Amino acid sequence: LRYMLVTKLGERVVADIRKEVFARVIDMSPSFYENLRTGEVLSRITTDTTLVLTVIGSSVSIALRNALIFIGGLFFMLLTSAKLTSLVLLIVPLVLVPILTLGRKVRRLSKENQDWIAAGSAQASEALGAVQTIQAFTHEVETKNDFSKTTEDSFLSARERIRARALMTFIVIFLVFSGIIGVLWIGAHDVSAGKLSAGTLVQFVIYSVMVGGSVAALSEVWGELQRAAGATDRLAELLKAEDSISDPSTATPPPNLGRGRLTFENVIFNYPSRPKYSALDDVSFDVKPGQTVAIVGPSGAGKTTIIQLLLRFYDPQGGSILLDGVDLRDMRREDFRKAISLVPQDPVIFAKSVLENIRFGRQDASDAEVISAANLAAAHQFISELPEGYETYVGERGVMLSGGQKQRIAIARAILRDAPVLLLDEATSALDSESERAVQKAVDALAQDRTTIVIAHRLATVKKADCILVMDHGKVVAQGTHESLMKEGELYARLARLQFVSDAEEAAA
């Protein structure tokens, strides 16, 4: 009964901890992950909680049994000989000293050991996620060596923890049984003096050995508890972590989000991991409902940062970003994000079926609506040719699909979402010419009645925009139509010559 109840309790506690930690980290903004790798978080959710489960499921069970033996044995020792029991209890303060001092050291070393395990887990996760790149650049030996070094450091840390815990157990057992032997020596003198019967002394010896054994077991359990406490500290750090982005306590109800007007007012922003580097410097622009704005500029100009701020993954250090006249910081993120649809340059495909991946855009969509969205994204044909059609499992990160197929599924997902604001981060970059033309028509149709922000490198995309923002070093250096910027915008004209030349050649062909 003891085993069943305690083990069940351990499983329940760990399941609750895992759910609570995952619910916490999935809500954290991207800035949280700038200094903490996802592999580290996964290690805490899996390895650390498994350690807590081991302690609760086995160590606590052993502790309960030995605690009962200790209490019962001590009670009968008092009944047998109060004098000898009092002498035994004098040892207790001496026993507590190593338990408390070395116990703290075990806890610290345990936390350090779990950190090394987490570092190894993060390394392995990163390496396995990029295994093709590692093999393509023949970097296997260096990757193995890096992981081996981290694992060896984890072992050395564990060895220190084991030594500290072994020393604590040794001192406790030595003191307890040394005390018992000393008391027995006094008891033997009492027997020879006729003050105590031999049978009473033997009875006392049996009880004292039981009590001594339970104390030794409890000291080992204490070491396990300290080890679990180190893991618990790491889990508590995640649960207590403060997010730099939070919803207001009294949120403003979202306006009529069918309009989709976007306004940047003197926005200043630095990434938390690069506080001295200005990602956006006094950026201001206004996108009217239904308007398409293309953002162009060299790498690092701040184009993607604008999309990240529009989704409120970060908050600007200065200025404000408005959606239909309301500051994003005054609304709940969940509310205004429902009005935004995103097609990233590197589409995220989940290890699910094609149908589930497209339905990610809107969970309540029917199968017919999913197929219609796929048709608009020029994806229906290739999906139909898959082994199980829309029910085909696409593998982790969509490994069974080509880059262009992933992109079309991401576009179908955005079409299905049917939001008034559309964010396109070079959504057709991974497509071949034929697919691009088909998808471009779908994107054009999708953008007609929506406010669209598109990060563009293609001449065809840029020329169709109502307004073009030219960015450089975090600033909007020019804005206007393609024709006006070609005449006046020196940077834009240079970008057009360098970046759009292949488009022009292709169009001519």
Side-chain angles (χ1 to χ4, degrees), residues 6 50-62 221 224-229:
V6 172
T50 301
L51 180 55
V52 173
L53 172 62
T54 303
V55 171
I56 296 175
S58 59
S59 299
V60 171
S61 181
I62 294 168
V221 169
E224 273 291 300
L225 287 173
Q226 291 305 304
R227 185 183 173 199

Side-chain angles (χ1 to χ4, degrees), residues 355 359 364-373 390-391:
L355 187 75
R359 188 175 276 143
D364 60 352
S366 65
D367 290 359
E369 288 175 311
V370 171
I371 293 170
S372 175
Y390 282 85
E391 296 298 333

Side-chain angles (χ1 to χ4, degrees), residues 102-119:
L102 289 172
R104 278 197 292 267
K105 185 177 182 182
V106 168
R107 179 171 179 165
R108 177 179 57 79
L109 290 171
S110 174
K111 187 173 184 298
E112 181 184 297
N113 184 217
Q114 292 298 117
D115 286 339
W116 280 114
I117 291 172

Side-chain angles (χ1 to χ4, degrees), residues 254-481:
N256 177 16
L257 294 177
R259 296 173 58 216
R261 179 169 187 163
L262 296 172
T263 309
F264 270 57
E265 294 181 348
N266 308 111
V267 172
I268 297 171
F269 175 70
N270 302 340
Y271 283 100
S273 57
R274 294 167 285 166
K276 295 182 180 178
Y277 174 76
S278 180
L280 293 181
D281 184 9
D282 197 26
V283 171
S284 297
F285 62 86
D286 185 44
V287 185
K288 296 178 176 62
Q291 198 174 32
T292 296
V293 172
I295 305 175
V296 299
S299 178
K303 303 185 296 294
T304 301
T305 301
I306 284 179
I307 285 182
Q308 291 185 320
L309 291 179
L310 280 170
L311 286 163
R312 207 184 166 213
F313 291 152
Y314 300 90
D315 277 338
Q317 283 80 31
S320 55
I321 302 166
L322 310 177
L323 175 60
D324 287 332
V326 181
D327 196 312
L328 296 185
R329 288 170 291 198
D330 294 334
M331 294 183 282
R332 290 173 66 243
R333 286 168 289 176
E334 183 183 355
D335 289 340
F336 74 76
R337 283 175 184 168
K338 288 178 181 176
I340 299 174
S341 191
L342 171 69
V343 182
Q345 185 172 10
D346 185 15
V348 174
I349 303 297
F350 299 95
K352 297 181 179 181
S353 69
V354 173
L355 187 75
E356 289 173 301
N357 266 287
I358 297 175
R359 188 175 276 143
F360 196 82
R362 183 160 55 86
Q363 295 297 317
D364 60 352
S366 65
D367 290 359
E369 288 175 311
V370 171
I371 293 170
S372 175
N375 267 309
L376 287 171
H380 179 70
Q381 183 177 348
F382 88 78
I383 295 173
S384 301
E385 293 169 357
L386 293 173
E388 295 176 50
Y390 282 85
E391 296 298 333
T392 302
Y393 174 76
V394 296
E396 187 178 9
R397 298 185 308 279
V399 292
M400 293 170 61
L401 302 173
S402 69
Q405 289 172 335
K406 291 181 192 176
Q407 197 76 59
R408 278 179 275 179
I409 287 177
I411 291 169
R413 183 189 295 164
I415 291 170
L416 185 67
R417 190 164 180 80
D418 195 25
V421 177
L422 182 63
L423 305 180
L424 302 171
D425 190 351
E426 193 49 62
T428 58
S429 61
L431 303 181
D432 56 75
S433 301
E434 187 176 352
S435 297
E436 183 186 353
R437 281 193 291 273
V439 171
Q440 193 62 54
K441 289 180 181 177
V443 170
D444 291 344
L446 180 65
Q448 275 183 1
D449 302 321
R450 290 168 176 78
T451 304
T452 306
I453 301 285
V454 53
I455 295 175
H457 301 108
R458 304 273 188 171
L459 181 63
T461 306
V462 172
K463 289 180 75 172
K464 289 177 184 176
D466 298 309
C467 180
I468 301 167
L469 299 180
V470 185
M471 297 195 66
D472 191 25
H473 295 96
K475 294 184 177 182
V476 176
V477 294
Q479 58 181 303
T481 62

Side-chain angles (χ1 to χ4, degrees), residues 92-105:
V92 172
L94 292 175
V95 173
L96 287 175
V97 171
I99 286 178
L100 294 176
T101 54
L102 289 172
R104 278 197 292 267
K105 185 177 182 182

